[in-house]
Amino acid sequence: MKKLLKAFKRCAVLGAAALAIVSLQPVSASAATPPVVGGTRAAQGEFPFMVRLSMGCGGALYTQQIVLTAAHCVNGSGNNTSITATAGVVDLQSTSGRVQVRSTKVLQAPGYNGTGKDWALIKLAQPINLPTLKIATNSQYNTGDFTVAGWGAATQGGGQQRYMLKATVPFIDDATCEGYGGLYNGLVPGEELCAGFEEGGVDTCQGDSGGPMFRKDTAGDWIQVGIVSWGDGCAQPNAPGVYTEVSAFASAIASAAASL
Ligand code: 4AZ
């Protein structure tokens, strides 16, 4: 089980590395029916905190100089100048407004072993002058409808995307999620949140990993409640997306960021 999950995640990152994107994800219900498009294009500037990472993952600006992403998107902790973060654009090929900054350090979640704790921080060489995304510090926003966004595959097994896609996915409670069985028996309820539609059709996918799942808070500001982590394929029925439960790690993330 753990091995399966790890293999899946590793595969996701390697696959994405070729083109480097994350995606939201429509999938055909069957060969005979038209594709269900679960994602739509994000507008330029709509999610200014979104980051595309060169290994083929997503992320979000936790501060202007620190990106919050998934632990399975990085190799470990320490000095690391090999990652490029791209921000400021929905079109990765547009040079207008695009900001690209290298990493200096990576901090993978303490205790990460492939199950749960799927978060990591990447320190950038320079701050990026764009809005940051605040993170949930308690469970009050861990239900409802969530927004997901990224440049990952738009169909299961498909290519990475040039333009950022977005979608809305509803919360699924832990018991329902574990009830899907298979890989979902490996859910870590205190550390992971599930979201998606029982019927499938809308989901995150390969290359969206590390990107944020977010919603509005009572002040009307975006707040990050999840990090794209894993799933059994993409947008299949009874196989929702699984997200790192950010509120469970808010203190650890803040301490780690202060140490970078
Ligand atoms: C991935 O491979 C991946 N459907 C991300 C999200 C989901 C599945 C796979 C959820 O990066």
Side-chain angles (χ1 to χ4, degrees):
M1 176 68 197
K2 275 185 190 171
K3 274 189 179 170
L4 242 182
L5 279 182
K6 280 186 186 171
F8 191 85
K9 291 173 184 173
R10 189 176 308 121
C11 180
V13 173
L14 291 178
L19 249 178
I21 303 173
V22 177
S23 108
L24 302 184
Q25 139 70 357
V27 139
S28 338
S30 84
T33 51
V36 177
V37 177
T40 59
R41 288 260 192 104
Q44 177 59 37
E46 188 174 4
F47 308 121
F49 42 76
M50 288 293 301
V51 173
R52 172 67 179 180
L53 297 169
S54 54
M55 84 292 280
C57 279
L61 290 175
Y62 174 69
T63 70
Q64 290 187 329
Q65 208 171 344
I66 297 178
V67 176
L68 177 58
T69 186
H72 81 264
C73 288
V74 301
N75 291 132
S77 299
N79 293 336
N80 183 328
T81 57
S82 74
I83 302 167
T84 299
T86 300
V89 286
V90 290
D91 176 3
L92 293 175
Q93 291 180 28
S94 168
T95 52
S96 155
R98 189 175 68 181
V99 186
Q100 293 190 299
V101 181
R102 302 279 284 199
S103 59
T104 57
K105 292 179 191 180
V106 171
L107 192 152
Q108 194 177 42
Y112 174 70
N113 66 2
T115 299
K117 301 180 178 51
D118 196 7
W119 64 270
L121 297 177
I122 297 175
K123 177 93 180 265
L124 304 176
Q126 290 90 218
I128 293 179
N129 190 18
L130 285 168
T132 59
L133 179 58
K134 63 181 162 183
I135 66 170
T137 56
N138 61 56
S139 60
Q140 73 174 301
Y141 298 116
N142 290 355
T143 58
D145 286 340
F146 305 123
T147 300
V148 285
W151 292 267
T155 58
Q156 185 171 307
Q160 300 290 296
Q161 300 294 297
R162 170 175 173 176
Y163 297 96
M164 190 197 303
L165 296 179
K166 63 172 179 176
T168 303
V169 285
F171 169 75
I172 293 174
D173 67 76
D174 290 332
T176 300
C177 197
E178 288 174 313
Y180 292 127
L183 296 180
Y184 297 91
N185 287 131
L187 186 77
V188 185
E191 301 186 1
E192 295 177 324
L193 290 172
C194 298
F197 296 92
E198 201 166 71
E199 65 272 29
V202 184
D203 197 5
T204 45
C205 199
Q206 183 176 64
D208 288 320
S209 279
M213 179 169 79
F214 47 99
R215 50 161 288 168
K216 291 281 182 79
D217 68 11
T218 52
D221 298 325
W222 291 119
I223 188 162
Q224 181 172 1
V225 300
I227 299 169
V228 180
S229 183
W230 61 275
D232 188 356
C234 308
Q236 300 303 303
N238 305 313
V242 181
Y243 299 81
T244 308
E245 189 170 322
V246 166
S247 61
F249 300 106
S251 302
I253 290 168
S255 309
S259 80
L260 273 180

